[in-house]
mmCIF file of all heavy atoms in Angstrom:
data_model
loop_
_atom_site.group_PDB
_atom_site.id
_atom_site.type_symbol
_atom_site.label_atom_id
_atom_site.label_comp_id
_atom_site.label_asym_id
_atom_site.label_seq_id
_atom_site.Cartn_x
_atom_site.Cartn_y
_atom_site.Cartn_z
ATOM 1 N N GLY A 5 -3.608 2.533 3.858
ATOM 2 C CA GLY A 5 -4.988 2.529 4.287
ATOM 3 C C GLY A 5 -5.669 1.255 3.834
ATOM 4 O O GLY A 5 -5.059 0.425 3.136
ATOM 5 N N ALA A 6 -6.922 1.098 4.218
ATOM 6 C CA ALA A 6 -7.661 -0.124 3.846
ATOM 7 C C ALA A 6 -9.141 0.156 3.791
ATOM 8 O O ALA A 6 -9.669 0.986 4.541
ATOM 9 C CB ALA A 6 -7.379 -1.257 4.826
ATOM 10 N N HIS A 7 -9.807 -0.554 2.878
ATOM 11 C CA HIS A 7 -11.267 -0.593 2.792
ATOM 12 C C HIS A 7 -11.668 -2.050 2.953
ATOM 13 O O HIS A 7 -11.196 -2.913 2.217
ATOM 14 C CB HIS A 7 -11.764 -0.066 1.437
ATOM 15 C CG HIS A 7 -11.628 1.405 1.272
ATOM 16 N ND1 HIS A 7 -12.508 2.284 1.824
ATOM 17 C CD2 HIS A 7 -10.688 2.134 0.627
ATOM 18 C CE1 HIS A 7 -12.141 3.510 1.503
ATOM 19 N NE2 HIS A 7 -11.025 3.447 0.777
ATOM 20 N N TYR A 8 -12.500 -2.301 3.942
ATOM 21 C CA TYR A 8 -12.912 -3.664 4.239
ATOM 22 C C TYR A 8 -14.355 -3.891 3.787
ATOM 23 O O TYR A 8 -15.223 -3.049 4.026
ATOM 24 C CB TYR A 8 -12.791 -3.967 5.732
ATOM 25 C CG TYR A 8 -11.370 -3.870 6.213
ATOM 26 C CD1 TYR A 8 -10.913 -2.729 6.881
ATOM 27 C CD2 TYR A 8 -10.467 -4.900 6.011
ATOM 28 C CE1 TYR A 8 -9.602 -2.627 7.318
ATOM 29 C CE2 TYR A 8 -9.162 -4.815 6.430
ATOM 30 C CZ TYR A 8 -8.734 -3.678 7.086
ATOM 31 O OH TYR A 8 -7.439 -3.568 7.521
ATOM 32 N N GLY A 9 -14.581 -5.050 3.168
ATOM 33 C CA GLY A 9 -15.903 -5.378 2.625
ATOM 34 C C GLY A 9 -16.873 -5.938 3.636
ATOM 35 O O GLY A 9 -17.949 -6.411 3.276
ATOM 36 N N GLY A 10 -16.542 -5.902 4.907
ATOM 37 C CA GLY A 10 -17.461 -6.410 5.922
ATOM 38 C C GLY A 10 -16.878 -6.274 7.317
ATOM 39 O O GLY A 10 -15.675 -6.275 7.501
ATOM 40 N N PRO A 11 -17.778 -6.130 8.307
ATOM 41 C CA PRO A 11 -17.316 -5.948 9.681
ATOM 42 C C PRO A 11 -16.635 -7.166 10.290
ATOM 43 O O PRO A 11 -15.886 -7.049 11.253
ATOM 44 C CB PRO A 11 -18.602 -5.610 10.438
ATOM 45 C CG PRO A 11 -19.693 -6.226 9.625
ATOM 46 C CD PRO A 11 -19.238 -6.141 8.206
ATOM 47 N N GLU A 12 -16.890 -8.334 9.727
ATOM 48 C CA GLU A 12 -16.297 -9.567 10.268
ATOM 49 C C GLU A 12 -14.797 -9.617 10.061
ATOM 50 O O GLU A 12 -14.114 -10.463 10.656
ATOM 51 C CB GLU A 12 -16.954 -10.795 9.627
ATOM 52 C CG GLU A 12 -16.558 -11.061 8.202
ATOM 53 C CD GLU A 12 -17.247 -10.186 7.154
ATOM 54 O OE1 GLU A 12 -18.109 -9.361 7.523
ATOM 55 O OE2 GLU A 12 -16.891 -10.317 5.980
ATOM 56 N N LEU A 13 -14.259 -8.721 9.235
ATOM 57 C CA LEU A 13 -12.825 -8.713 8.958
ATOM 58 C C LEU A 13 -12.005 -8.078 10.068
ATOM 59 O O LEU A 13 -10.789 -8.283 10.140
ATOM 60 C CB LEU A 13 -12.550 -8.032 7.610
ATOM 61 C CG LEU A 13 -13.210 -8.714 6.423
ATOM 62 C CD1 LEU A 13 -13.131 -7.844 5.195
ATOM 63 C CD2 LEU A 13 -12.566 -10.078 6.159
ATOM 64 N N ARG A 14 -12.639 -7.326 10.933
ATOM 65 C CA ARG A 14 -11.938 -6.703 12.063
ATOM 66 C C ARG A 14 -11.341 -7.789 12.941
ATOM 67 O O ARG A 14 -12.003 -8.730 13.331
ATOM 68 C CB ARG A 14 -12.871 -5.843 12.896
ATOM 69 C CG ARG A 14 -13.312 -4.608 12.201
ATOM 70 C CD ARG A 14 -13.669 -3.535 13.209
ATOM 71 N NE ARG A 14 -14.362 -2.422 12.652
ATOM 72 C CZ ARG A 14 -13.799 -1.489 11.887
ATOM 73 N NH1 ARG A 14 -12.549 -1.580 11.598
ATOM 74 N NH2 ARG A 14 -14.506 -0.475 11.420
ATOM 75 N N GLY A 15 -10.073 -7.649 13.202
ATOM 76 C CA GLY A 15 -9.377 -8.625 14.035
ATOM 77 C C GLY A 15 -8.928 -9.865 13.296
ATOM 78 O O GLY A 15 -8.289 -10.731 13.892
ATOM 79 N N GLY A 16 -9.251 -9.943 11.983
ATOM 80 C CA GLY A 16 -8.838 -11.104 11.196
ATOM 81 C C GLY A 16 -7.387 -10.969 10.770
ATOM 82 O O GLY A 16 -6.732 -9.922 10.974
ATOM 83 N N PRO A 17 -6.833 -12.008 10.149
ATOM 84 C CA PRO A 17 -5.415 -12.006 9.787
ATOM 85 C C PRO A 17 -5.011 -10.838 8.866
ATOM 86 O O PRO A 17 -3.964 -10.223 9.093
ATOM 87 C CB PRO A 17 -5.210 -13.341 9.066
ATOM 88 C CG PRO A 17 -6.338 -14.184 9.483
ATOM 89 C CD PRO A 17 -7.463 -13.291 9.839
ATOM 90 N N LEU A 18 -5.808 -10.528 7.855
ATOM 91 C CA LEU A 18 -5.449 -9.427 6.973
ATOM 92 C C LEU A 18 -5.561 -8.080 7.666
ATOM 93 O O LEU A 18 -4.690 -7.230 7.523
ATOM 94 C CB LEU A 18 -6.312 -9.431 5.721
ATOM 95 C CG LEU A 18 -5.822 -10.343 4.596
ATOM 96 C CD1 LEU A 18 -6.861 -10.470 3.502
ATOM 97 C CD2 LEU A 18 -4.512 -9.840 4.032
ATOM 98 N N ASN A 19 -6.606 -7.894 8.445
ATOM 99 C CA ASN A 19 -6.759 -6.643 9.194
ATOM 100 C C ASN A 19 -5.576 -6.425 10.121
ATOM 101 O O ASN A 19 -5.001 -5.336 10.157
ATOM 102 C CB ASN A 19 -8.084 -6.690 9.954
ATOM 103 C CG ASN A 19 -8.263 -5.500 10.886
ATOM 104 O OD1 ASN A 19 -8.297 -5.674 12.093
ATOM 105 N ND2 ASN A 19 -8.405 -4.315 10.330
ATOM 106 N N LEU A 20 -5.197 -7.444 10.859
ATOM 107 C CA LEU A 20 -4.082 -7.330 11.787
ATOM 108 C C LEU A 20 -2.756 -7.096 11.062
ATOM 109 O O LEU A 20 -1.930 -6.300 11.503
ATOM 110 C CB LEU A 20 -3.987 -8.581 12.670
ATOM 111 C CG LEU A 20 -5.172 -8.782 13.602
ATOM 112 C CD1 LEU A 20 -5.044 -10.115 14.344
ATOM 113 C CD2 LEU A 20 -5.319 -7.624 14.594
ATOM 114 N N ALA A 21 -2.575 -7.772 9.919
ATOM 115 C CA ALA A 21 -1.344 -7.586 9.138
ATOM 116 C C ALA A 21 -1.273 -6.165 8.579
ATOM 117 O O ALA A 21 -0.212 -5.521 8.630
ATOM 118 C CB ALA A 21 -1.283 -8.615 8.017
ATOM 119 N N ILE A 22 -2.383 -5.663 8.050
ATOM 120 C CA ILE A 22 -2.392 -4.294 7.513
ATOM 121 C C ILE A 22 -2.111 -3.296 8.614
ATOM 122 O O ILE A 22 -1.304 -2.377 8.461
ATOM 123 C CB ILE A 22 -3.731 -3.990 6.801
ATOM 124 C CG1 ILE A 22 -3.837 -4.822 5.522
ATOM 125 C CG2 ILE A 22 -3.866 -2.503 6.506
ATOM 126 C CD1 ILE A 22 -5.217 -4.798 4.871
ATOM 127 N N GLN A 23 -2.742 -3.463 9.762
ATOM 128 C CA GLN A 23 -2.512 -2.556 10.888
ATOM 129 C C GLN A 23 -1.065 -2.597 11.357
ATOM 130 O O GLN A 23 -0.467 -1.561 11.671
ATOM 131 C CB GLN A 23 -3.447 -2.900 12.056
ATOM 132 C CG GLN A 23 -4.872 -2.506 11.826
ATOM 133 C CD GLN A 23 -5.768 -2.857 12.990
ATOM 134 O OE1 GLN A 23 -5.430 -3.701 13.817
ATOM 135 N NE2 GLN A 23 -6.913 -2.208 13.061
ATOM 136 N N ARG A 24 -0.520 -3.792 11.397
ATOM 137 C CA ARG A 24 0.875 -3.932 11.856
ATOM 138 C C ARG A 24 1.844 -3.238 10.908
ATOM 139 O O ARG A 24 2.712 -2.486 11.328
ATOM 140 C CB ARG A 24 1.211 -5.417 11.983
ATOM 141 C CG ARG A 24 2.563 -5.682 12.595
ATOM 142 C CD ARG A 24 2.727 -7.122 12.958
ATOM 143 N NE ARG A 24 4.045 -7.336 13.523
ATOM 144 C CZ ARG A 24 4.689 -8.467 13.481
ATOM 145 N NH1 ARG A 24 4.139 -9.524 12.934
ATOM 146 N NH2 ARG A 24 5.886 -8.577 14.009
ATOM 147 N N ILE A 25 1.683 -3.485 9.616
ATOM 148 C CA ILE A 25 2.565 -2.860 8.641
ATOM 149 C C ILE A 25 2.378 -1.346 8.640
ATOM 150 O O ILE A 25 3.353 -0.598 8.625
ATOM 151 C CB ILE A 25 2.337 -3.467 7.234
ATOM 152 C CG1 ILE A 25 2.877 -4.904 7.197
ATOM 153 C CG2 ILE A 25 2.984 -2.602 6.146
ATOM 154 C CD1 ILE A 25 2.588 -5.659 5.920
#
Side-chain angles (χ1 to χ4, degrees):
H7 288 281
Y8 297 100
E12 74 282 356
L13 298 169
R14 290 207 192 286
L18 275 170
N19 173 246
L20 295 175
I22 291 169
Q23 287 180 339
R24 186 168 179 207
I25 289 174

